[in-house]
Amino acid sequence: GQNIDQPTEMTATEGAIVQINCTYQTSGFNGLFWYQQHAGEAPTFLSYNVLDGLEEKGRFSSFLSRSKGYSYLLLKELQMKDSASYLCAVKDSNYQLIWGAGTKLIIKP
Amino acid sequence: TAGITQAPTSQILAAGRSMTLRCTQDMRHNAMYWYRQDLGLGLRLIHYSNTAGTTGKGEVPDGYSVSRANTDDFPLTLASAVPSQTSVYFCASSEEGSNSPLHFGNGTRLTVT
């Protein structure tokens, strides 16, 4: 079966750095997405990786290793507004998105 | 503001009743999707449409139907609601291309009693 694993919950301090991991086992790979979802709101797109390496976008970076079936989302200079769930999703060989259950990130002052 | 509009925002529905969740987009995206989101689970695809006039079944299609008469609208119908359909429903659309992200509506919170 296809599977995406993420930690259920993480806690970090305002101003610090946090890394949210995502491991996947899918039938084929056609890209990995990260989304942010604030409580009670819709998911919004953060990043896309299809090649190995690091993609940087402001305070957020996303890394991919296809050989390890592994990605992480790195958030720097954490702000209170970064408190949200972070969803990892992989497009399989049929271009269908497989979603992880999400990581709830709690930021403390 | 361009994007996806879902209605209603929330609804309480008696078991056995029917209901249509509405979804409209103004981005002229060909692909549209319906997902349900339940606590502790990833988003699960109910139905999708790659272009107007075509629809397909996702991971959890039973109990739901969709239509795609035009590019903008993609309603989801529950013919006879059951309590297990209590969930938050998200409509989404995307441009063509494997790297195109999904754009989500604000969701409909449905409670079936």
Side-chain angles (χ1 to χ4, degrees), chain B residues 42-61:
Chain B
L43 287 162
R44 292 185 291 170
L45 183 65
I46 304 170
H47 284 286
Y48 65 93
S49 170
N50 288 328
T51 190
T54 69
T55 62
K57 294 182 179 180
E59 179 186 357
V60 289

Side-chain angles (χ1 to χ4, degrees), chain A residues 30 33 35 37 40-45 48 87 91 95-97 99-101, chain B residues 35 37 40-43 45 48 90 97-102 104-106 109:
Chain A
N30 280 299
F33 294 81
Y35 287 80
Q37 185 178 23
E41 298 183 9
T44 56
F45 169 70
Y48 170 76
L87 315 181
K91 270 195 179 177
Y95 295 91
Q96 296 294 320
L97 270 175
W99 293 84
Chain B
Y35 285 94
Q37 187 174 42
L41 299 177
L43 287 162
L45 183 65
Y48 65 93
F90 286 103
S98 60
N99 63 339
S100 295
L102 296 182
F104 287 87
N106 286 330
R109 182 174 296 275

Side-chain angles (χ1 to χ4, degrees), chain A:
Chain A
Q2 308 200 91
N3 195 49
I4 309 283
D5 284 318
Q6 312 177 228
T8 302
E9 186 174 297
M10 300 182 70
T11 302
T13 304
E14 189 177 15
I17 299 173
V18 70
Q19 177 175 311
I20 302 173
N21 295 325
C22 169
T23 58
Y24 62 89
Q25 292 175 310
T26 56
S27 56
F29 178 84
N30 280 299
L32 184 145
F33 294 81
W34 284 96
Y35 287 80
Q36 179 189 60
Q37 185 178 23
H38 286 102
E41 298 183 9
T44 56
F45 169 70
L46 286 177
S47 67
Y48 170 76
N49 295 71
V50 67
L51 300 176
D52 290 352
L54 189 69
E55 294 280 343
E56 297 187 77
K57 196 183 290 186
R59 293 190 299 114
F60 292 9
S61 303
S62 56
F63 172 83
L64 175 67
S65 169
R66 288 171 296 172
S67 64
K68 296 181 179 178
Y70 168 70
S71 173
Y72 67 72
L73 182 68
L74 191 72
L75 290 72
K76 304 176 184 176
E77 302 169 14
L78 286 170
Q79 302 175 10
M80 297 303 294
K81 67 179 182 179
D82 297 330
S83 291
S85 289
Y86 292 86
L87 315 181
C88 174
V90 172
K91 270 195 179 177
D92 67 10
S93 56
N94 294 320
Y95 295 91
Q96 296 294 320
L97 270 175
I98 312 300
W99 293 84
T103 298
K104 182 178 180 180
L105 177 63
I106 300 168
I107 309 296
K108 295 186 175 180

Side-chain angles (χ1 to χ4, degrees), chain B residues 78-101:
Chain B
L78 288 68
S80 179
V82 295
S84 62
Q85 291 178 311
T86 294
S87 187
V88 179
Y89 291 86
F90 286 103
C91 180
S93 71
S94 71
E95 297 178 19
E96 293 180 37
S98 60
N99 63 339
S100 295

Side-chain angles (χ1 to χ4, degrees), chain B residues 25 27-30 32 51-52 68-74:
Chain B
Q25 55 111 352
M27 296 176 284
R28 308 303 293 171
H29 289 168
N30 280 326
M32 296 189 75
T51 190
R68 187 86 185 277
N70 56 60
T71 298
D72 298 344
D73 301 302
F74 191 42

